[in-house]
Amino acid sequence: MDWNVDRIPEAVIRRLPKYYRYLRDCERNGEARVSSAKMSKDMGLNASQIRRDLNCFGGFGQQGYGYSVPRLKSEIARILGLHKQYNMIIIGAGNMGHALMRYTSFTSLGFRIVGVFDNNPDRVGADAAGYEVRNIDTLEEFVSQNNVTIAAICTPSSAAQSIANRLVRLQVKGIWNFAPCEVRVEPGVFVENVQLNDSLYVLCYRINAPEHEQF
Amino acid sequence: MDWNVDRIPEAVIRRLPKYYRYLRDCERNGEARVSSAKMSKDMGLNASQIRRDLNCFGGFGQQGYGYSVPRLKSEIARILGLHKQYNMIIIGAGNMGHALMRYTSFTSLGFRIVGVFDNNPDRVGADAAGYEVRNIDTLEEFVSQNNVTIAAICTPSSAAQSIANRLVRLQVKGIWNFAPCEVRVEPGVFVENVQLNDSLYVLCYRINAPEHEQF
């Protein structure tokens, strides 16, 4: 991989999934190539920003031709690490946990749910969207035997940090946290704190922004 | 409100909810004031960036004193529009819809769920987390009578755009879309397409990034 910068800006990293989804849709529509001008129009991003972003990882475009959709899509997939398989577990078999289990658009990629855990005796042993709910007490044993890379925390806030600490000790590399609080981890472990409220607040901002702010 | 720029950069808008949550936690911990240096350390953001961000809306800080926590929190709440009340409806009473209904951290703010809708006869009329599920056919009548500002779409992808179109016609100002597809709206209506996968992809990127990229 030929990256042109030492450190990819956070804002660029955050845009990569959008590029990936866009190119996947282009591919589904049978489009073989796409210009940065068209991407700009469709995605609502500045064309020069798109070119700059994609240049961070080595330029994939060709003057007057645009980008090859399959090539750019697979390069971005590789940059994001989507060409690999990941074993994932879900902690908490409540509504959010169920929503993730049924969210097939990621299970159809390289993410494989290998275990679901809960501490509620009414849930343990039951079937959740086709998965057996395991006792959280068996987490350590399970993770040590199943090459788990990613754990989604779907517990209440009160349990989230202590679960994260257990996952860190188990050397689970990635924590996808849906509890409405931020969990903190040791260096070498990565966390995405999904704060559903944040997008609601941004929506409120837009609804209330002065006219000249609207876009 | 005294805004220092004509147009607030998107990245700043996206950081406002984080400032808001941080200051709310400070307030809960009884902290009366906070420096940009401490915010920087706690939030993992550059201190000069924090000062620049907050300057966009008029400087709230005072040299050598820092920011007043309650004042800055209430200013940011006002900028985000969180000082107002919003009637919200939820379309789709599946797992994601239920997760939102039970996500009390936003209902404790100014967001009030006034209606829940579905098109599934097995769900319509049933109780969902304390809300009666209404027939989607009654959407138009309900919205015209209940001053609905925000609608959360929790349907499958296949239904999301047509529901969004109905909401636009009903002049619902904000659409919070959880279907795994982007919906498009007319100018004057605002949409936040919550793509759960995007944060998973970013997590993958971090897990796979070369050592010098890790932070």
Side-chain angles (χ1 to χ4, degrees):
Chain A
M1 218 179 301
D2 180 28
W3 294 4
N4 288 343
V5 294
D6 267 352
R7 180 161 167 177
I8 311 296
E10 177 71 14
V12 179
I13 298 170
R14 298 256 157 220
R15 280 193 290 272
L16 287 179
K18 294 187 209 309
Y19 291 125
Y20 177 75
R21 284 190 279 108
Y22 177 77
L23 292 160
R24 191 194 50 196
D25 291 346
C26 287
E27 199 172 57
R28 281 181 189 157
N29 296 337
E31 297 165 35
R33 61 193 199 181
V34 65
S35 65
S36 51
K38 182 166 190 305
M39 287 176 79
S40 165
K41 185 167 166 282
D42 293 343
M43 299 178 71
L45 291 170
N46 188 293
S48 68
Q49 182 175 61
I50 292 175
R51 287 191 295 269
R52 253 195 332 270
D53 284 358
L54 301 178
N55 270 334
C56 283
F57 303 97
F60 306 120
Q62 205 179 310
Q63 194 92 41
Y65 174 87
Y67 298 97
S68 153
V69 167
R71 176 152 174 252
L72 186 54
K73 174 180 161 261
S74 79
E75 282 295 329
I76 290 179
R78 206 158 63 89
I79 292 163
L80 287 170
L82 300 181
H83 56 307
K84 299 186 189 171
Q85 301 281 312
Y86 301 92
N87 283 350
M88 187 188 316
I89 57 174
I90 292 178
I91 322 277
N95 295 121
M96 193 67 227
H98 273 81
L100 285 190
M101 289 176 236
R102 294 207 168 108
Y103 203 72
T104 51
S105 63
F106 72 76
T107 51
S108 68
L109 286 163
F111 303 96
R112 189 168 149 249
I113 298 172
V114 294
V116 174
F117 296 85
D118 207 295
N119 71 346
N120 181 336
D122 294 340
R123 288 181 184 158
V124 170
D127 173 277
Y131 300 95
E132 183 201 338
V133 181
R134 297 168 190 272
N135 191 317
I136 190 68
D137 294 343
T138 67
L139 178 70
E140 280 72 14
E141 188 188 347
F142 183 91
V143 169
S144 65
Q145 291 167 4
N146 285 279
N147 189 27
V148 173
T149 305
I150 296 172
I153 299 182
C154 301
T155 68
S157 290
S158 53
Q161 185 63 58
S162 71
I163 291 288
N165 295 345
R166 287 168 71 177
L167 293 165
V168 169
R169 280 197 295 275
L170 289 163
Q171 299 180 296
V172 173
K173 288 282 278 181
I175 295 180
W176 199 23
N177 176 37
F178 285 89
C181 64
E182 305 220 344
V183 303
R184 290 168 180 270
V185 296
E186 304 286 314
V189 175
F190 303 94
V191 62
E192 279 290 306
N193 289 297
V194 181
Q195 295 282 347
L196 296 182
N197 277 353
D198 284 7
S199 54
L200 180 61
Y201 295 170
V202 170
L203 192 57
C204 269
Y205 170 85
R206 300 207 201 284
I207 291 171
N208 287 287
E211 287 295 325
H212 70 276
E213 286 281 320
Q214 301 193 350
F215 53 94
Chain B
M1 219 177 303
D2 180 27
W3 293 3
N4 289 342
V5 294
D6 267 352
R7 179 159 169 179
I8 312 295
E10 177 72 13
V12 179
I13 298 170
R14 298 256 158 220
R15 279 193 290 273
L16 288 178
K18 295 188 208 308
Y19 292 124
Y20 177 75
R21 284 190 280 109
Y22 176 77
L23 293 160
R24 192 193 50 195
D25 291 347
C26 287
E27 199 172 56
R28 281 181 189 157
N29 296 336
E31 296 165 35
R33 60 194 200 183
V34 65
S35 64
S36 53
K38 181 167 190 304
M39 287 177 78
S40 165
K41 185 166 166 284
D42 293 342
M43 299 179 71
L45 291 170
N46 189 292
S48 68
Q49 182 176 61
I50 291 175
R51 287 191 295 270
R52 253 196 331 270
D53 283 359
L54 301 178
N55 270 334
C56 283
F57 304 96
F60 306 120
Q62 203 178 312
Q63 195 92 40
Y65 173 88
Y67 297 97
S68 153
V69 167
R71 178 154 172 250
L72 186 53
K73 174 180 161 261
S74 80
E75 282 295 328
I76 290 178
R78 207 158 61 89
I79 292 163
L80 287 170
L82 300 181
H83 57 305
K84 299 187 189 170
Q85 301 280 314
Y86 301 93
N87 283 349
M88 188 191 310
I89 56 175
I90 293 178
I91 321 277
N95 294 120
M96 193 66 228
H98 273 81
L100 285 190
M101 289 176 234
R102 294 208 168 108
Y103 202 72
T104 52
S105 63
F106 72 76
T107 51
S108 68
L109 286 164
F111 303 96
R112 188 167 150 249
I113 298 172
V114 294
V116 175
F117 297 84
D118 207 295
N119 70 347
N120 180 336
D122 294 340
R123 287 182 185 159
V124 171
D127 174 279
Y131 300 95
E132 183 201 338
V133 181
R134 297 168 190 273
N135 191 317
I136 190 68
D137 294 344
T138 66
L139 179 70
E140 280 71 14
E141 188 188 347
F142 184 90
V143 170
S144 66
Q145 290 167 4
N146 285 278
N147 190 26
V148 173
T149 307
I150 296 172
I153 299 182
C154 301
T155 66
S157 290
S158 53
Q161 185 63 57
S162 72
I163 290 289
N165 295 346
R166 288 168 71 177
L167 293 166
V168 169
R169 279 196 295 274
L170 288 162
Q171 298 179 299
V172 173
K173 287 282 279 182
I175 295 180
W176 199 21
N177 175 37
F178 286 89
C181 65
E182 305 221 344
V183 303
R184 292 170 178 268
V185 296
E186 303 287 313
V189 175
F190 304 94
V191 63
E192 279 290 304
N193 289 297
V194 181
Q195 295 282 346
L196 296 181
N197 277 352
D198 284 7
S199 55
L200 180 61
Y201 296 170
V202 170
L203 192 58
C204 269
Y205 170 84
R206 300 207 200 286
I207 291 172
N208 286 287
E211 287 295 324
H212 71 276
E213 285 281 320
Q214 302 191 352
F215 52 93

